[in-house]
Amino acid sequence: MAVNFNQNSVFNLKPINTDAVRNEVTGLLVPDEKILYAFQSVRDQIVFTDKRIISIDVQGITGKKKSFATMPYSKVQYFSIQTPGFMELFPDSELFLMFNNGFTANFEFKGKVDIGMIGRIISSYVLE
């Protein structure tokens, strides 16, 4: 299940190379927006840029149809990070985001993820 930003969701995400999603989201990116991280669940993908989160929901049996959703970091009210330690690369970590429309996203990352960097990116928008 991909992020659709209108219901609470949980995602189990594994890191993938950003090049794997570049062609998918290039048309959505604004000038100077950079893809920082990309993750994949079974078929769906989540892309963290330096400005927002983009969800790619792969639909149907063939996967040719895709739905894209985006939520800018400026809409995040607050967030929390859960790790086995503090801000290092960990095999499992979680990111909770509360958006100003009431949507709560719970991202469960599997594999080594720099959750501290993701937190700093979001903080730069939340604290403005």
Side-chain angles (χ1 to χ4, degrees), residues 71-78 97-104:
M71 184 65 83
Y73 298 131
S74 61
K75 301 297 182 189
V76 174
Q77 289 290 124
Y78 61 87
L97 298 173
M98 172 60 84
F99 292 92
N100 61 5
N101 66 355
F103 173 76
T104 302

Side-chain angles (χ1 to χ4, degrees), residues 48-60:
F48 286 81
T49 75
D50 58 346
K51 301 187 183 310
R52 60 183 157 168
I53 302 168
I54 301 171
S55 164
I56 305 168
D57 180 9
V58 179
Q59 301 175 350

